[in-house]
Amino acid sequence: MNIWEDLKFRGLINQVTDEAGLEKLFQTEQVTMYTGFDPTADSLHVGHLLPILVLRRFQMAGHRPIALVGGATGMIGDPSGRSDERVLNTVETVHGYAKAICDQLARFLNFEGPNAAIMANNYTWLSEIDIITFLRDVGKNFNINYMLAKDSVSSRLANGLSFTEFTYMILQSYDFVELNKRFGCKLQVGGSDQWGNITSGLELLRKLEKDTEDTQPKAFGLTVPLVTKADGSKFGKSVGGAVWLDAEKTSPYEFYQFWLNVEDTKVIEYLKYFTFLSHAEILDLEKQTEENPGLRAGQKALAAQMTELVHGKAALLQAIKISEALFSGEIKNLTKKEIEQGFKDVPSYHADSKDYALIDLLVESKICPSKRQAREDITNGAIYLNGERITDLNYIVDEAVKIESCYTIIRRGKKKYTVIQYQ
């Protein structure tokens, strides 16, 4: 099965400027394509994964991807998909973000070999263009009415659109021209919200190359689908915000849990979109999900594939260990770092590094409202330390129950956890 048939099976083809022409191009030559990533934060998030992984699929099929970091366009702000204007960051901040994003992109693409990926930054050429040259040689090719008709612009007119943001389409279009000239790039891949910017780039390239309407297109545009949750909300958003690719911002355990909790109605779609499982493996998981959704075979496969892909095998095994410990209540075998991942959002209490009578610690940490209630909870078997039930009213919380001298996990009842952190 060729790359185009694989993309169709996975539902990854949303819009194409010339599907027949592009499919033929992939059959006849090694194609160079690019996707742009504006550095608006110091990490990419899972909402960026789909176009990244499409580049990876193309590279695995023998083609050459360009990962373009928007060191210049990131200073302007893309109006696409937004109802208000972005806050403009300083040059130093954007450059710092760009460096971090380059490092992340390097995890997914191979920068060695006959079809080695290329890392580019549009600051390289856009920073060298003076305003007169930009307006005369590039800006003159854009008709205002044409730009106003684009959804990325028209959707913002009611709430206001600055001239700065208005120029974003022109700058991104020029990126395609430069990449075509420097590297022979013939395809831009982006999210569905980038369709207007992509087609504008193709139009600029055609005008600058003085193509006629009946000539064979020299370049193409392709968008991947908009990924949403079952309720139609934006993919990649959790209760705490975005699900980041940076392990310091979203831990591997949290990342694993995000995929593990995908809805049954979406899990097969996500397996097709994001994993590199074979068609047969995905169809088998689809059958298992339909016949026995309670086993959550699809979610487990999705969580494992994605966590290993983004964070590595060791992080995946750690995430599974934490998940199993929390499910079984066997907390005592977790390490300090695993405690910090698994109990990141659990209420905590800072205690002195001394021994405590359990009853006193329960009251001091406000796990129990009074000593009477603490005694009653202990007697009734409702108190657990690191997963072990404690029924001794005279129990002393000492070094033996302090995980790496840092934490004790107290559970009251079935689900109420508190992290005791020792100072």
Side-chain angles (χ1 to χ4, degrees), residues 33-35 172 176 185-190 197-198 220-222:
M33 77 287 297
Y34 90 97
T35 296
Q172 182 171 320
F176 206 164
C185 180
K186 293 185 178 181
L187 172 65
Q188 182 180 358
V189 180
N197 291 329
I198 290 173
F220 302 82
L222 166 68

Side-chain angles (χ1 to χ4, degrees), residues 179-393:
L179 293 172
N180 179 268
K181 179 173 64 177
R182 291 169 183 247
F183 307 111
C185 180
K186 293 185 178 181
L187 172 65
Q188 182 180 358
V189 180
S192 59
D193 61 338
Q194 293 299 311
W195 182 246
N197 291 329
I198 290 173
T199 54
S200 295
L202 292 169
E203 181 70 9
L204 177 61
L205 185 61
R206 186 188 67 79
K207 288 180 178 179
L208 293 179
E209 294 295 325
K210 296 181 173 57
D211 285 347
T212 60
E213 294 295 334
D214 59 351
T215 59
Q216 178 68 27
K218 292 189 175 181
F220 302 82
L222 166 68
T223 65
V224 296
L226 175 67
V227 187
T228 61
K229 296 181 182 179
D231 62 3
S233 61
K234 192 172 184 179
F235 175 78
K237 293 290 185 180
S238 65
V239 175
V243 179
W244 301 97
L245 304 189
D246 185 340
E248 296 299 318
K249 298 168 78 71
T250 298
S251 71
Y253 167 73
E254 293 173 302
F255 191 83
Y256 178 83
Q257 288 294 318
F258 170 78
W259 298 100
L260 193 64
N261 290 311
V262 163
E263 304 95 332
D264 290 341
T265 56
K266 284 289 187 176
V267 66
I268 303 303
E269 178 181 297
Y270 293 172
L271 282 165
K272 290 179 178 179
Y273 281 178
F274 296 103
T275 76
F276 291 82
L277 293 174
S278 69
H279 296 188
E281 289 172 314
I282 292 173
L283 293 174
D284 181 58
L285 287 167
E286 184 174 23
K287 182 179 179 181
Q288 292 183 54
T289 300
E290 291 173 353
E291 294 178 350
N292 195 343
L295 290 178
R296 300 182 70 75
Q299 283 87 344
K300 291 175 183 177
L302 179 64
Q305 289 288 316
M306 297 312 299
T307 305
E308 183 171 359
L309 175 67
V310 174
H311 295 296
K313 185 71 172 181
L316 167 62
L317 295 176
Q318 186 180 59
I320 293 174
K321 178 185 176 183
I322 297 170
S323 299
E324 291 176 345
L326 294 181
F327 181 77
S328 66
E330 291 293 324
I331 309 298
K332 61 184 178 182
N333 294 325
L334 295 178
T335 65
K336 173 179 176 288
K337 289 186 177 181
E338 290 165 350
I339 290 291
E340 290 167 353
Q341 283 194 56
F343 292 87
K344 182 178 179 180
D345 298 319
V346 171
S348 62
Y349 174 75
H350 290 266
D352 293 329
S353 297
K354 65 179 183 178
D355 294 348
Y356 283 86
L358 177 57
I359 290 175
D360 293 339
L361 183 57
L362 290 173
V363 175
E364 187 176 312
S365 62
K366 293 183 170 49
I367 295 172
C368 298
S370 65
K371 288 188 175 182
R372 182 191 64 78
Q373 185 63 56
R375 293 190 189 94
E376 185 177 322
D377 288 342
I378 294 171
T379 302
N380 292 336
I383 299 298
Y384 297 77
L385 267 63
N386 298 337
E388 294 187 0
R389 177 180 284 166
I390 305 298
T391 57
D392 181 3
L393 291 173

Side-chain angles (χ1 to χ4, degrees), residues 108-135:
F108 301 98
L109 302 172
N110 184 3
F111 289 86
E112 298 179 353
N115 62 329
I118 298 168
M119 187 75 74
N121 188 325
N122 63 18
Y123 188 83
T124 303
W125 50 84
L126 291 178
S127 63
E128 296 177 350
I129 300 179
D130 64 86
I131 187 65
I132 301 300
T133 301
F134 175 72
L135 292 175

Side-chain angles (χ1 to χ4, degrees), residues 144-157:
I144 293 296
N145 290 335
Y146 172 83
M147 295 177 69
L148 291 174
K150 297 293 184 180
D151 182 67
S152 60
V153 173
S154 63
S155 62
R156 287 288 306 281
L157 292 179

Side-chain angles (χ1 to χ4, degrees), residues 361-362 367 384-385 408-412 416-418 420:
L361 183 57
L362 290 173
I367 295 172
Y384 297 77
L385 267 63
T408 299
I409 309 301
I410 299 180
R411 191 181 97 209
R412 182 188 183 202
K416 186 179 179 182
Y417 285 95
T418 300
I420 305 300

